[in-house]
Amino acid sequence: MKDIFFDLSVRSVRLNFLRSLLASIGIVIGVVAIASMGMLGTNMQLIVKNQLTAGINTIVITPDVVRSEPGSFGTQGTTATGITESQLKDIRDAAGTNEVIPIDRTSTQFSIGSSDGRGSIMGFDQNDMKNIMNVSEGSTPRGESDAIVGAMIASRFDLKIGTRIKIGEPNISVTRPVVRVVGILPTIGMSSSNGINTDNAIIVSDTWYSAQFGGANVYDQVNVNLKDVSTLSAVETAIDNKVNRNKEVIRISDASSRVTSVSSTLSSLTTFILAIGSISLLVAATSIFNVMMMSVSERVQEIGILLSIGTETGEVRRMFLYEAFILGIIGAIIGGIMSIVIGYSVVSAMIGNTAYFFLPESIIYVPAGMLIGIVVCVASGVYPAWKASNMDPIEALRAE
Amino acid sequence: MSDFPLIRLADVTKVYHLESGDVIALNHVSVDILENEFVAIMGPSGSGKSTMMNQLGILDVPTSGNLFISGKNVAAMTNLERTHMRRDTIGYIFQNFYLIPLLTAYENVEYPLILKYKQRDNSGKAAAILKSVGFDQALSAHRPSQLSGGQQQRVAIARALVNDPRILLCDEPTGNLDRKTGFTIMDTLAGLHSEGKTVILVTHDPKVAEYAHRTIQLEDGRVVAS
Ligand SMILES: Nc1ncnc2c1ncn2[C@@H]1O[C@H](COP(=O)(O)OP(=O)(O)OP(=O)(O)O)[C@@H](O)[C@H]1O
Ligand SMILES: [Mg+2]
């Protein structure tokens, strides 16, 4: 399309290039603010949500603590708490094809060379370990006294593959059992929502664990890893019906409620920072409005000429809206490019993780910011354009 | 209807309301102008000549009275119809040329064609008209500010003619030109009249007025001779 009114607008912008550029800077700032604020908020949300949802498909089953209180009948209430082998079987039945992981855990002292420490020790079935533990170094245990260790414990004690750890209280009169480090786990951080934060843990086979800490055939925790997270409540209900038949013996929990509440907090935070970004667009709108009014008042006589020789008012309006649109496009393109650069720097400086930056949910804020910038620009031109098209041609012609 | 004049001003009054009082620029003016007339409007400064031209060119509305152009009451037309009549039926030539500063000489002439046909002209009509009014084609790509007064007025005439209007309104077309250039412009207008255009001309110069076949004399907003 070769529209003469578009040509006229382009020429007007070119004629007043510096002024137009200055007006566009407002839009540039607005677009950058909206886009980088939006990306900052979204990246924050994505990172936190991803860390949280790492365990959202896990149902964590623990013995009901009520049972551990001294009971008034018989001995049941005072026995060591745990999920029994028969309860585990019921859980496996109810969980269907989902992975069921029984876990033993307690906290213990240990020594590496001459330094002592305290941390948790967990016992896993060796096959389960192979399936769910992703070591960053070494391998999963094969031998009875092989262990893998969490990232924090590894770095604190400078553990290497092959390091030996003495488990238990330092006591001169007793020879403590020893495990050998065969693998080191990566940092888990916040994704402890599956109930196993391995960062500060020593992980051993369940047989070794039972031999040292007792409790064979009794477990401190059972995790059910769902293949399909949408079956969460169905599986939970099935387990509850099967195991908690007569009385509450196990407690069933998951991370979904926590994820929902944290992500809703984060999304209101994002809205809030976006709102702050939008204020800058308001400032941009004012500067565009100003420049458009200037353009109209500088071109009064020209408008008078256009109207007097038969230009429709709609065509005059269009000419000025084009001008606002061109200013918007210039601002949006510069702003779009800058917001990728600035947004990336802001996200990497403030969150320190740009892994999600180029995901659609995040990068969409660049075109969205550009579009909003253009819309704001054109909207700011509506009144000036209307004013131009409604001039009295004779009055306008007399203007100098 | 066939004996209805091309233009009829019927008892037209135009009053400007100013803080210092009302100015009656046109006072009960009734004038008929027929197809293919060549009319000169004369009168002292401030007598209402330009006001009358603005009425004829439907750039302004009368305070009272009516204007008919080819039988149609202008007051009864919509804004858009008036705009289209300005575009298609009337050609304007002003003392100050009033070319569009951002467009080249050629584009200024092409502009009314674009208004009418909503697309760029590729018929060569604009170029042909520019040539016919004696405009040097080498200057086609120049902006108005790069042209002399006489050259600008030729572009303005070409622009006024390009949509083949029936009426040419010329408000002191030679006012900003030297005498010699003024007369060549008048020769061009006389030629257009002989081709069938209705030409209405405002001038202070009796020599220029001699080109016309009829003179309307205005004084204090009244027609004193016609
Ligand atoms: N826009 C306006 N507002 C107020 N008064 C006006 C306006 N236009 C014209 N007038 C007044 O109307 C009267 C007629 O003006 P007009 O411009 O028609 O005169 P003219 O005959 O064209 O004069 P000139 O020969 O100087 O061009 C004058 O008294 C003038 O002051
Ligand atoms: Mg005048």
Side-chain angles (χ1 to χ4, degrees), chain B residues 109-163:
Chain B
V109 180
E110 188 194 12
Y111 181 80
L113 289 171
I114 298 171
L115 289 185
K116 187 167 181 176
Y117 300 105
K118 309 295 180 205
Q119 62 182 43
R120 281 261 142 118
D121 172 56
N122 44 27
S123 63
K125 194 168 176 185
I129 296 255
L130 260 178
K131 198 175 171 201
S132 76
V133 297
F135 183 79
D136 181 358
Q137 237 162 331
L139 303 172
S140 289
H142 286 219
R143 293 278 168 86
S145 57
Q146 301 162 326
L147 298 173
S148 74
Q151 287 161 345
Q152 286 187 62
Q153 197 59 297
R154 285 185 190 286
V155 175
I157 293 172
R159 179 182 70 184
L161 289 173
V162 78
N163 273 337

Side-chain angles (χ1 to χ4, degrees), chain A residues 126 141-147 178-179 204-209 211:
Chain A
Q126 283 199 349
R142 252 161 278 139
E144 267 298 290
S145 58
D146 287 353
V178 170
V179 292
V204 294
S205 70
D206 52 355
T207 46
W208 194 91
Y209 183 96

